């Protein structure tokens, strides 16, 4: 059995717990240590189960809990070399060791394979995580779905995929013009439409579980994001709860774990 549970998701902080055979991984550590530990408690997870922390990139909503969290959960951190350098320069030397991840590695009994993602960070990556016979794809904070990203997540049983903004809402949002352009760029974030298009491609390669993540609070809503992907899958002949299960990660609270 594999358990995937977003603890919270969005520009205010990101972290996801993944468990296989009672051994756990954490992907990203935004917000703060207290919130992460209380979120784990809500789903009855002992932090001692965590054997490694995977970091996608250096933005604060993915790393800012690390200085305190690593004092409580002293496990290795895995990230790109550039992200590790950024953490050391900006957060100081952590209590836990940090290792560059640039190829397949086994952590907590799961095989983790990184792949590059296009985002305006030092070096942003996603992950393909093989846990027994199951595969989880993790791709958030990306301006477009490149060939490398597709290769990383296609054929996965479950994919955590960004569905950041709705174009019409972004256009009328209070964001400055330059920020809107950054979000729309190929190193910004995925729109609901881009996410939905990729979900259809993934469903065709066997993905049966989708978790929409990193929704904007300013230029999106959970209902709109979900409906966009639902409509695209329906139009291509996929039936919810028969062919796939669609979940939207909560921004401020724990999302119901998805079990494989």
């Amino acid at each position: 059995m594999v358990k995937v549970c977003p603890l919270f998701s969005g520009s205010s902080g990101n972290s996801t717990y993944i468990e296989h055979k009672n051994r756990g991984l954490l992907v990203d550590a935004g917000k703060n240590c207290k919130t992460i530990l209380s979120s784990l408690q809500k789903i009855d997870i002992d932090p001692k189960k965590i054997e490694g922390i995977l970091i996608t990139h250096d933005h604060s909503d993915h790393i800012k809990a690390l200085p305190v969290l690593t004092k409580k959960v002293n496990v290795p951190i895995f990230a790109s070399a550039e992200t590790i350098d950024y953490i050391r320069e900006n957060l100081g030397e952590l209590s836990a060791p940090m290792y560059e991840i640039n190829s397949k590695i086994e952590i907590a009994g799961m095989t983790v394979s990184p792949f590059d993602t296009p985002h305006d960070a030092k070096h942003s990556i996603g992950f393909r995580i093989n846990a027994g016979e199951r595969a989880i794809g993790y791709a958030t904070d990306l301006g477009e779905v490149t060939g490398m990203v597709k290769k990383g997540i296609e054929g996965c049983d479950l994919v955590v995929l960004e569905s950041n903004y709705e174009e019409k809402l972004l256009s009328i949002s209070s964001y400055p013009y330059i920020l809107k352009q950054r979000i729309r760029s190929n190193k910004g974030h995925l729109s609901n439409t881009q996410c939905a298009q990729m979900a259809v491609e993934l469903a065709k390669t066997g993905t049966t579980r989708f978790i929409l993540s990193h929704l904007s609070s300013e230029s999106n809503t959970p209902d709109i994001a979900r409906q966009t992907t639902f409509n695209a899958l329906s139009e291509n002949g996929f039936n919810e709860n028969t062919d796939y299960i669609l979940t939207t990660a909560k921004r401020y609270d724990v999302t119901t774990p998805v079990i494989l």
Side-chain angles (χ1 to χ4, degrees):
M1 182 185 76
V2 181
K3 178 186 295 184
V4 180
C5 182
L7 305 181
F8 39 82
S9 177
S11 58
S12 55
N14 299 271
S15 190
T16 298
Y17 177 74
I18 300 173
E19 180 180 299
H20 176 54
K21 292 185 176 179
N22 289 313
R23 301 174 71 181
L25 285 173
L26 207 60
V27 182
D28 287 331
K31 287 200 179 181
N32 55 60
C33 176
K34 182 179 180 181
T35 303
I36 289 175
L37 295 181
S38 63
S39 297
L40 290 169
Q41 188 177 37
K42 288 179 181 178
I43 52 172
D44 297 320
I45 298 298
D46 186 339
K48 292 179 181 178
K49 285 186 176 183
I50 298 171
E51 297 183 29
I53 301 173
L54 307 176
I55 299 296
T56 57
H57 63 290
D58 57 32
H59 290 169
S60 64
D61 54 321
H62 297 260
I63 65 170
K64 63 185 174 183
L66 288 175
V68 178
L69 180 64
T70 52
K71 293 177 182 178
K72 303 285 187 178
V73 183
N74 195 349
V75 297
I77 295 165
F78 300 88
S80 68
E82 295 86 348
T83 298
I84 290 173
D85 288 343
Y86 180 91
I87 290 171
R88 286 186 171 136
E89 290 170 7
N90 292 273
L91 301 183
E93 202 64 47
L94 304 181
S95 301
M98 292 189 285
Y99 299 105
E100 179 183 2
I101 181 168
N102 55 18
S103 60
K104 187 183 297 185
I105 186 173
E106 185 172 307
I107 311 167
M110 294 175 258
T111 302
V112 180
S113 302
F115 53 85
D116 289 347
T117 54
H119 193 50
D120 56 355
K122 299 291 183 181
H123 185 174
S124 182
I125 57 178
F127 303 102
R128 184 186 188 99
I129 302 169
N130 288 85
E133 297 180 352
R134 299 295 193 175
I136 300 116
Y138 199 95
T140 69
D141 295 75
L142 61 161
E144 62 178 337
V145 180
T146 62
M148 188 173 293
V149 172
K150 286 182 182 179
K151 183 178 179 181
I153 62 178
E154 65 183 2
C156 286
D157 299 280
L158 180 152
V159 174
V160 180
L161 186 62
E162 178 174 63
S163 190
N164 182 259
Y165 68 94
E166 171 59 39
E167 178 56 43
K168 291 180 181 178
L169 292 182
L170 179 62
S171 296
I172 63 172
S173 72
S174 61
Y175 289 150
Y177 175 77
I178 192 168
L179 178 56
K180 292 178 182 179
Q181 292 302 97
R182 176 241 167 191
I183 290 169
R184 292 185 179 110
S185 77
N186 61 6
K187 289 191 176 180
H189 292 278
L190 277 193
S191 69
N192 292 341
T193 300
Q194 289 171 302
C195 173
Q197 290 170 346
M198 190 62 220
V200 171
E201 291 189 41
L202 289 169
K204 291 176 180 178
T205 68
T207 301
T208 59
R209 306 287 191 279
F210 299 94
I211 300 178
L212 307 183
S213 69
H214 215 298
L215 276 65
S216 170
S217 62
E218 181 82 12
S219 55
N220 209 354
T221 71
D223 287 344
I224 292 173
R226 189 184 194 288
Q227 194 65 44
T228 304
T229 293
F230 171 83
N231 288 346
L233 288 166
S234 297
E235 288 167 5
N236 282 272
F238 295 99
N239 299 309
E240 188 175 16
N241 299 321
T242 301
D243 300 316
Y244 69 92
I245 293 174
L246 181 61
T247 302
T248 303
K250 296 179 181 179
R251 186 178 185 86
Y252 299 111
D253 202 0
V254 178
T255 303
T256 301
V258 178
I259 308 297
L260 291 168

